[in-house]
Amino acid sequence: MQISKKSTRPFNPQDTYPCPVCRTGQISTLALMDALACNFCQHIYTASVERQSLQMADRQPPVTWHWNGKQWIGAHLEGVEFGWPYFAAAIGLIFLPTTLLGLSAYYFPPVPGSRLSWLPVAWTGLAFLSHLGIVLWLVGEFYQFPVVTYFRAWGRRIRRR
């Protein structure tokens, strides 16, 4: 039984590689420029052959990926370290207003059988969903996750099957 290994190749900016952002397009060199671009999501990258890395040039702070011979790994932001304070602030933003609304609805319930007796529960749920949406939106804006491009690529994959 013969086992075939995928060959590893060093990063060469003159070759084409899969795009690390959309994972659908191919990145290749731009004519007359020292940069690479994806033919699907149109992101522009700069390459470092010595470090075997690719850096997104159209974003600040830039995101960096490293080539391991088969695929791009890592998506590191330069100079940005996330720790527990950011995580605690996100959890607090989601759960503190929701908890305050829930406790006030519990301690001061509406009159049973009234037309708007459902409102405190709905308002608490809406507070949770809206604050969760704010945190997810901030994470998406920071990482600049291409939502539209992702769904376009997903649609192409489904149509190919």
Side-chain angles (χ1 to χ4, degrees), residues 77-139:
L77 292 169
E78 289 186 5
V80 177
E81 296 262 344
F82 283 116
W84 65 269
Y86 290 104
F87 183 71
I91 295 298
L93 181 64
I94 294 169
F95 289 110
L96 183 65
T98 305
T99 303
L100 290 174
L101 284 170
L103 286 174
S104 66
Y106 178 76
Y107 285 116
F108 305 106
V111 177
S114 66
R115 289 187 339 184
L116 296 177
S117 62
W118 56 270
L119 186 63
V121 174
W123 193 264
T124 304
L126 184 63
F128 173 77
L129 292 176
S130 64
H131 286 89
L132 177 65
I134 289 170
V135 168
L136 293 177
W137 173 72
L138 287 172
V139 168

